[in-house]
Amino acid sequence: MDRPLGRQARWLGSPWSRGLAAALAGAVPALTFPAPSWWWLAYAALVPWLLLVRTAPTYGRAALDGWLGGTGFILAVHQWLLPSLHVFILVLALLLGALWAPWGLLVRALLGGAPGAGRCAAALVLVPSGWLMVELVRSWEYLGGPWGLLGASQWQVPPALRLASVGGVWLVSLLIVAVNTALAELIARPAAPRLPAVAGLLVCALAVTAAWFRSPLPRPAGTVRIAVVQPNLTGTPAERLARSEALTRSLAGRGARLIVWGESSLTQDPADHPALAERLAALSRQTGAELLINADSAHAGRPGISKSAVLIGPDGPTGERYAKMRLVPFGEYIPFRSVLGWATRVGKAAPTDRLRGTATVVMPVASAGGLRVGPLVCFESAFPDMSRHLVRDGAQVLVAQSSTSTFQESWAPAQHASLAALRAAENGRPMVHATLTGISAVYGPRGEQIGEQIGTDRSAAAVYDLPLAGGTTPYTRYGDWAVYGAMGALVLAGGCAGLRALSGRSARAPR
């Protein structure tokens, strides 16, 4: 039997203290991401939040607990944005946190009071499905993109990476929330029948085991030697270029077939500056490798720049280039600038909007025997669909060029680098994460780390023997089926609830 709320924690009776508790409970999962990387905490991190919401005295309070918890989660996961956005980060957190208000209602409806076995079993499916809908909506690029998806906290756990190859990061998130829900049920009503919660935990364990033993492994397809150049210098453009050139020259004779520079490694487009193009071509000839650089490219007659990945061969630009398609809200453009333009006055929001690319590109690298490379720029590596589309278009290696120089002393560089492991595992293709100032990292087709990372305290060039792979993962083939399954479960549950309500009205109607 549940104890009265006042006996458990009298201070939760105050709306203010309860609100603070909700925000703190929502912030706990942030510890599962880098830099703390307490990945094991993910499987219980939501339990305090779930237990709090289920005890909400009203549905309105449950929605508020969900909202405030979501606000705490967004603030904690994105706390490294505070120096750039200042007070505006709180505005964004409150806006995005509201996405968890319906989830709070769902938790209260399924776990509140004294739920029977049927309601507990339904909660094991619907609470994770509701969470996934929140992750899906906030993954829309105009709302900030899929940074901090709960499943991404498992980037260094091999069984979770194998599960990601089956259903993407979405399936990993579903499993984590299901485990949390089962634990919350066991804690909330220890004297009640435990069969649904125990069965739910068993199903989760069986799902991971099945993925580990039955999901197809990437087929080895040789290796390719790729190098990463990280100047770790944010001085003048000339100083940055000189350091990058020196590091690239040090790779001569080491057998690299592709050399990758980080985002904004150049502030001029070599296609528009012949002298610069020749300097880069000379590096290609000296090292025997093509260079994948990244330039802030201006466009004639249009204000702003685009972030462009440009392939350089021994004769200069090869013609292969990709312009970043998905931009960072407030960092690279301000949505509804006429309304939200005041953000530039309280923080470091973009004074002018960047220009968007129009399509993904797969580049053949002649110096690597025609190796097909799929480039991404900056936080595009957070979007599962972009990597998947590149692999479906034939990319053998995924490459993300990034720069987190503004956030060097925060958790952001480690969080960003970890995303490459998820994208590699989801699609069974290796991924190179090359940055201007760190952390640079390389992952194999199972999401395993290859070689050393180049940290934010180093200026270096590193060579990696990258294992290539063939075959197609279930996630690459079938896509976001876990998301559609969650949608279907919620629609079905909503339909059943509606039919029950109609039946109840019919039974009460006078005859």
Side-chain angles (χ1 to χ4, degrees):
M1 180 176 178
D2 286 342
R3 297 176 182 176
L5 177 62
R7 295 180 184 177
Q8 291 184 13
R10 293 184 182 277
W11 63 279
L12 290 180
S14 164
W16 295 102
S17 57
R18 186 182 181 92
L20 177 61
L24 292 175
V28 171
L31 297 174
T32 66
F33 297 97
S37 281
W38 295 352
W39 63 266
W40 43 268
L41 181 62
Y43 298 92
L46 297 178
V47 171
W49 193 2
L50 288 166
L51 293 177
L52 180 69
V53 174
R54 73 171 291 274
T55 63
T58 65
Y59 280 103
R61 183 68 227 193
L64 183 58
D65 288 344
W67 184 356
L68 294 175
T71 301
F73 177 78
I74 293 296
L75 279 174
V77 171
H78 297 83
Q79 40 81 21
W80 43 271
L81 285 171
L82 184 59
S84 295
L85 297 182
H86 301 303
V87 69
F88 199 73
I89 185 61
L90 179 59
V91 176
L92 290 178
L94 285 167
L95 290 173
L96 292 176
L99 296 174
W100 274 272
W103 184 74
L105 294 173
L106 186 66
V107 171
R108 174 66 171 77
L110 293 169
L111 297 179
R119 194 144 54 103
C120 286
L124 294 173
V125 175
L126 299 179
V127 170
S129 296
W131 179 278
L132 205 62
M133 293 305 99
V134 177
E135 290 200 333
L136 179 66
V137 172
R138 75 180 184 87
S139 293
W140 188 37
E141 61 176 300
Y142 298 104
L143 290 180
W147 193 282
L149 301 184
L150 197 56
S153 66
Q154 307 301 292
W155 66 278
Q156 56 186 338
V157 183
L161 292 172
R162 189 73 64 82
L163 195 67
S165 75
V166 176
V169 68
W170 312 109
L171 184 58
V172 183
S173 286
L174 270 177
L175 181 141
I176 291 173
V177 183
V179 171
N180 276 272
T181 304
L183 291 178
E185 289 179 354
L186 292 173
I187 294 171
R189 291 182 51 75
R194 299 187 175 194
L195 181 59
V198 173
L201 291 173
L202 181 60
V203 168
C204 291
L206 289 175
V208 175
T209 302
W212 182 260
F213 287 104
R214 300 299 298 173
S215 62
L217 291 170
R219 296 196 311 267
T223 61
V224 63
R225 182 163 289 186
I226 290 179
V228 171
V229 167
Q230 179 180 296
N232 201 8
L233 187 66
T234 57
T236 66
E239 292 172 335
R240 190 187 315 164
L241 175 58
R243 182 57 182 161
S244 297
E245 286 178 309
L247 290 171
T248 302
R249 281 193 293 270
S250 72
L251 296 169
R254 299 183 63 182
R257 292 293 172 258
L258 176 66
I259 299 173
V260 185
W261 291 14
E263 180 188 9
S264 298
S265 47
L266 297 175
T267 57
Q268 295 178 326
D269 192 331
D272 300 325
H273 295 81
L276 175 59
E278 175 52 33
R279 287 174 67 175
L280 298 173
L283 289 175
S284 176
R285 294 191 296 268
Q286 186 176 355
T287 58
E290 291 185 41
L291 277 61
L292 185 64
I293 59 92
N294 190 276
D296 293 343
S297 304
H299 294 255
R302 298 178 63 189
I305 61 170
S306 61
K307 302 279 187 175
S308 299
V310 182
L311 194 62
I312 306 292
D315 298 320
T318 66
E320 300 290 346
R321 62 190 298 128
Y322 164 71
K324 184 179 182 181
M325 297 170 58
R326 296 184 180 173
L327 306 179
V328 181
F330 299 97
E332 293 178 318
Y333 79 102
I334 295 181
F336 310 109
R337 182 177 286 273
S338 60
V339 177
L340 300 177
W342 60 270
T344 59
R345 298 192 295 271
V346 299
K348 300 177 182 178
T352 58
D353 293 347
R354 299 285 192 262
L355 304 177
R356 295 178 184 272
T358 56
T360 56
V361 175
V362 176
M363 302 178 177
V365 181
S367 59
L371 179 76
R372 294 173 64 80
V373 171
L376 300 166
V377 181
C378 191
F379 95 138
E380 289 182 329
S381 65
F383 292 86
D385 65 301
M386 294 196 72
S387 297
R388 176 174 175 259
H389 289 157
L390 284 169
V391 172
R392 288 175 65 88
D393 288 343
Q396 297 168 275
V397 176
L398 299 168
V399 176
Q401 296 174 299
S402 177
S403 171
T404 52
S405 55
T406 306
F407 312 106
Q408 283 298 88
E409 304 303 322
S410 72
W411 294 356
Q415 285 184 20
H416 201 176
S418 70
L419 296 173
L422 265 295
R423 303 291 87 85
E426 285 172 341
N427 298 286
R429 295 294 184 271
M431 186 161 187
V432 177
H433 180 79
T435 71
L436 190 68
T437 56
I439 297 173
S440 295
V442 175
Y443 298 95
R446 300 184 190 182
E448 73 279 18
Q449 184 175 320
I450 303 297
E452 64 173 351
Q453 291 187 346
I454 309 177
T456 57
D457 59 342
R458 295 180 58 197
S459 174
V463 175
Y464 302 88
D465 288 319
L466 199 60
L468 302 177
T472 304
T473 66
Y475 176 71
T476 301
R477 178 175 285 116
Y478 301 114
D480 302 328
W481 62 266
V483 173
Y484 302 133
M487 286 181 180
L490 291 168
V491 169
L492 181 61
C496 291
L499 289 174
R500 284 196 301 270
L502 289 174
S503 298
R505 289 180 183 178
S506 298
R508 292 191 299 270
R511 299 182 182 276

